[in-house]
Amino acid sequence: MFKISEFSKLSQVPAKTLRFYDQLELLKPAYTDQQSGYRYYKSEQMLDLHRILAFKDLGYTLEQIKQLLNDNVSTAEIRGMLRLKQSDLHSLIQSEMERLRRIEVRLKQIERQSDGLSRYEVLVKKVEPLMVATLKETTSRASIPELFEEIDKYLKWNGIPLPVPHMVMWHGCPECESTIDLEIACPIPRKLQDTVRFQSKLLPDMTVASVTHMSRPDADTPVSIDLGSWIEENGYRISSEMPSREVYLSPQESNKLRYVTESQMPILGTGFMQ
């Protein structure tokens, strides 16, 4: 048998690491002297150590490796864990490739702009499901502030504390001068009693290209043009299944008609699809 210092030199694994593996019961010494506490290893334990290092190189945690090395784990279970890790790594690589491509597009934008700055910073993110109270209307954009006031009264009547963020979901063209199909929505903690004008529903999750900017809900903003250009340049597609959203987070202190606004465009694809 080998002393821990000898086994460490033979395996090129630090003695500190071997002691840690012992504490985790991942690789126990073949023998431990009860009086001195010295650890001794057999040469065949080198095979177990190499398996640990191999799984570690594949990205598994020590707890996962401990499970993999368990005698009760079947070959089918090990195969399943490896395939799951393979899928995770593919997703990670894809995500990092998308990030790299977005950086490349951003660098090209900076090179094209004289001041070196983009008007807006675009973020791709997942929007989680959200329970909302909604009010549908076919109207002009100028009437949106009045609709905000109407839904606020409904929320207040149902005991929902104000203020709450207002959301506009565009079922029609936001730039149209009149007869826009839109839906006002506000997040709520629970389902409310429906009326002729108001309904409660759960908005589905979706992936969006998002931009935060200052805007007025009753006036057009050019941000949708910039957002559309970014989506095209980065190889995404606009989803036709879900409406775009504008989330009016809070009014500006110096001008209550202007809001900190998040424009969300639902997108499909993973970017730079072939």
Side-chain angles (χ1 to χ4, degrees), residues 170-190:
W170 301 100
H171 298 283
C173 168
E175 290 78 23
C176 297
E177 295 183 1
S178 61
T179 63
I180 309 172
D181 291 327
L182 57 82
E183 194 170 4
I184 307 298
C186 290
I188 52 177
R190 64 184 187 280

Side-chain angles (χ1 to χ4, degrees), residues 58-60 81-99 101 270:
L58 292 175
Y60 286 97
M81 292 179 72
L82 287 171
R83 285 178 174 170
L84 180 61
K85 175 59 68 174
Q86 182 185 46
S87 176
D88 290 343
L89 289 174
H90 277 306
S91 298
L92 177 61
I93 292 171
Q94 181 66 33
S95 175
E96 291 304 309
M97 287 298 296
E98 292 171 25
R99 190 192 306 275
R101 288 161 181 160
T270 56

Side-chain angles (χ1 to χ4, degrees), residues 1 74 77 111 131 153 155 173 213 216 225:
M1 288 193 292
S74 67
E77 289 174 317
E111 291 171 359
M131 177 66 70
K153 291 179 181 178
L155 295 177
C173 168
H213 56 104
R216 291 178 52 141
I225 298 175

Side-chain angles (χ1 to χ4, degrees), residues 13 21-22 63 67 83 94 99 104 109 113 120 130 151 159 166 171 177-178 182 185 187-188 199 221 232 242-243 249:
V13 174
Y21 289 170
D22 181 15
E63 285 299 323
Q67 183 181 354
R83 285 178 174 170
Q94 181 66 33
R99 190 192 306 275
E104 292 172 348
Q109 290 175 341
Q113 294 163 358
Y120 306 107
L130 181 67
I151 199 169
H166 295 92
H171 298 283
E177 295 183 1
S178 61
L182 57 82
I188 52 177
Q199 289 186 329
T221 172
E232 183 179 12
M242 297 183 181
L249 302 170

